[in-house]
Each structure stands twice: as structure tokens, then as C-alpha cells.
């Protein structure tokens, strides 16, 4: 399974291990995990594990360094990701394609795609998600803009497809 670490600014004890979209269906602070990773927690090497839509954030215990623990954490995490049903987190389980789409759209609207729309005097709201289709409503300057379709396709849809490639359609509704 491909993973790569990202440094978290200002916190040398945490690395975000970026994982392929849809790998894990849980979100939040991990309270239960497969044995390889749980062993590092029990041994006091790992202090906490947290999952979001795109990464697993691992915090080392105080006095540890990624130089000494990195390869063990990578190996344990790789093995643990092979058993996605064994993960339990405090924010619960994301079920089904539509739940993952809601999360992906929400992240895209909070990120660059939403910022682009807002920078042009527009606003956008998620109306609903059903059967792999996402409905959004554009307002403000973007509500009746001739370029709205292009903005939705090349900004928002592209951002959502990075996380959820099985998106069926993204539609503007009134």
C-alpha cells in the first residue's frame, strides 16, 4: 500500500501518513486498531493515532524521534492498513460512497475550490448527495455567471475526484 509521510508544521512528534482515498472508513482519534500498530502504542512508542479522509496522523511519545521510530511506524501502519475493518475511531465510521462524497465536497468547499468561488464574489452550498451524485447551489456573483459550469467542473469536481474518483456527477441546482 502506498503511503508517504508529511511533516506537520510546528510539531516534530507528528507525521501525517497520506493514504489512498477510501482506505479507511473511520474518522477521528483512533481508539482501536490492528495489532501491529496497537503494539507500538502499548510499548509506549506511539502516543496517539488520528484518521482523516486523506491521512493517518501518528504522534510519537515524548522523547522519541522519527529518525529512530519511523521505519517501525511505517511497517506497523502498512500492516494495520491491510485490516481496515479493525479500526475504531471516536468520530465513527463513514459508511458508503455518499458519506465519503459529503466529506470530500465539504473539504473541497473549505479549501481551494471554495476559496476560488468566494474570491469572485460567489458563494456555494452543498444541497445534497445521493447515489454518487452531488448537488450544489451557487449564489452571489457566481449564481448566474456564464463561467459557473466551468468553475464547477474544473475547480470543485476536480478537487472532489482527487478524494472520490467514483463521483458520478456534480450538478448545479437552483
Amino acid at each position: 500500500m502506498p503511503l508517504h509521510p508529511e511533516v506537520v508544521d510546528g510539531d516534530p512528534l507528528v507525521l501525517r501518513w497520506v493514504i489512498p482515498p477510501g482506505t479507511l472508513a473511520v474518522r477521528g482519534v483512533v481508539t482501536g486498531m490492528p495489532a501491529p500498530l496497537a503494539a507500538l502504542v502499548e510499548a509506549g512508542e506511539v502516543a496517539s493515532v488520528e484518521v482523516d479522509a486523506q491521512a493517518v496522523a501518528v504522534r510519537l511519545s515524548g522523547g522519541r524521534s522519527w529518525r529512530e521510530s519511523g521505519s517501525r511506524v511505517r511497517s506497523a501502519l502498512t500492516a494495520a492498513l491491510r485490516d481496515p475493518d479493525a479500526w475504531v475511531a471516536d468520530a465513527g465510521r463513514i459508511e458508503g460512497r455518499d458519506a465519503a462524497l459529503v466529506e470530500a465536497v465539504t473539504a473541497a468547499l473549505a479549501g481551494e475550490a471554495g476559496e476560488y468561488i468566494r474570491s469572485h464574489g460567489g458563494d456555494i452550498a452543498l444541497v445534497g448527495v445521493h447515489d454518487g451524485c452531488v448537488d450544489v447551489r451557487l449564489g452571489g456573483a457566481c449564481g448566474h455567471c456564464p463561467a459557473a459550469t466551468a468553475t464547477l467542473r474544473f475547480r470543485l469536481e476536480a478537487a472532489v475526484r482527487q478524494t472520490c474518483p467514483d463521483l458520478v456527477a456534480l450538478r448545479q441546482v437552483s
Side-chain angles (χ1 to χ4, degrees), residues 101 128 130-135 157 161 166-171:
L101 275 173
H130 49 87
D131 300 324
C133 297
V134 175
D135 294 331
E157 184 177 328
R161 283 195 189 278
D166 60 342
L167 169 69
V168 172
L170 187 130
R171 304 178 294 213

Side-chain angles (χ1 to χ4, degrees), residues 32-47 49 61 64 72-73 76-77 80:
M33 63 200 83
L37 199 52
L40 294 179
V41 173
E42 291 168 14
E45 190 163 2
V46 170
V49 178
S61 298
R64 302 285 180 157
R72 285 189 297 279
V73 171
L77 182 57

Side-chain angles (χ1 to χ4, degrees), residues 11-129:
D11 197 341
L13 292 177
V14 178
L15 278 181
R16 289 183 78 243
W17 296 86
V18 178
I19 57 177
T23 302
L24 294 175
V26 297
R27 300 293 180 266
V29 175
V30 175
T31 57
M33 63 200 83
L37 199 52
L40 294 179
V41 173
E42 291 168 14
E45 190 163 2
V46 170
S48 66
V49 178
E50 188 169 347
V51 176
D52 64 34
Q54 301 169 353
V56 177
V58 177
R59 174 179 293 281
L60 294 178
S61 298
R64 302 285 180 157
S65 74
W66 283 103
R67 183 175 299 273
E68 80 178 43
S69 299
S71 63
R72 285 189 297 279
V73 171
R74 179 188 286 274
S75 295
L77 182 57
T78 300
L81 290 171
R82 291 187 192 113
D83 188 7
D85 294 331
W87 291 71
V88 178
D90 66 353
R93 186 166 287 279
I94 303 294
E95 297 292 343
R97 176 174 64 177
D98 288 346
L101 275 173
V102 168
E103 189 171 310
V105 171
T106 302
L109 293 177
E112 288 181 26
E115 288 173 16
Y116 179 82
I117 291 167
R118 289 185 292 278
S119 75
H120 287 86
D123 59 78
I124 186 167
L126 174 62
V127 174
V129 176

